[in-house]
Amino acid sequence: MKKDIDYYLSKGFDRRTAEYFASGRKTILAVEPNRDFTLTISFDNGERRLLDMKPMLKNDTVFKSFSLWENFSRVYLDENHCVSWDIDPNIDSNVVWNNKVDLCPDGCYIDSVEITAY
């Protein structure tokens, strides 16, 4: 079966997610933190998109410590092109896996909006 939008809709995906997967998965090439707690993310299809992180930076979540600019601004891309933060910057997250919080490229694309003007 061809994996078009209808295929993904039949699997229970919402329309936005179905459209994303039907058009092909994207790879993140760069991420930049913004002072308003958004991320500017560059994808391999040439798009630059804006991801609002404020709804995720709440108490009782893994993102709570990143509600401080000095922590949020430490964002980086890991070896899998995931948007990542180290909870403790003095610990190597490749050694201590539970020190890292990350977002997958698929979710970053689906939950962000395209930046149309630079």
Side-chain angles (χ1 to χ4, degrees), residues 7-27:
Y7 169 82
Y8 289 104
L9 289 172
S10 75
K11 297 297 183 186
F13 288 70
D14 61 64
R15 178 155 292 279
R16 188 174 182 172
T17 304
E19 289 171 354
Y20 167 77
F21 281 106
S23 69
R25 298 176 77 181
K26 315 298 185 282
T27 299

Side-chain angles (χ1 to χ4, degrees), residues 13 20 30 42 56 59 62 70 78 82 87 90 93-95 99 104 112-113:
F13 288 70
Y20 167 77
S42 300
M56 294 184 222
N59 290 337
V62 295
E70 59 269 16
D78 70 9
C82 295
I87 296 168
N90 300 309
S93 290
N94 290 320
V95 175
N99 184 56
C104 76
S112 63
V113 294

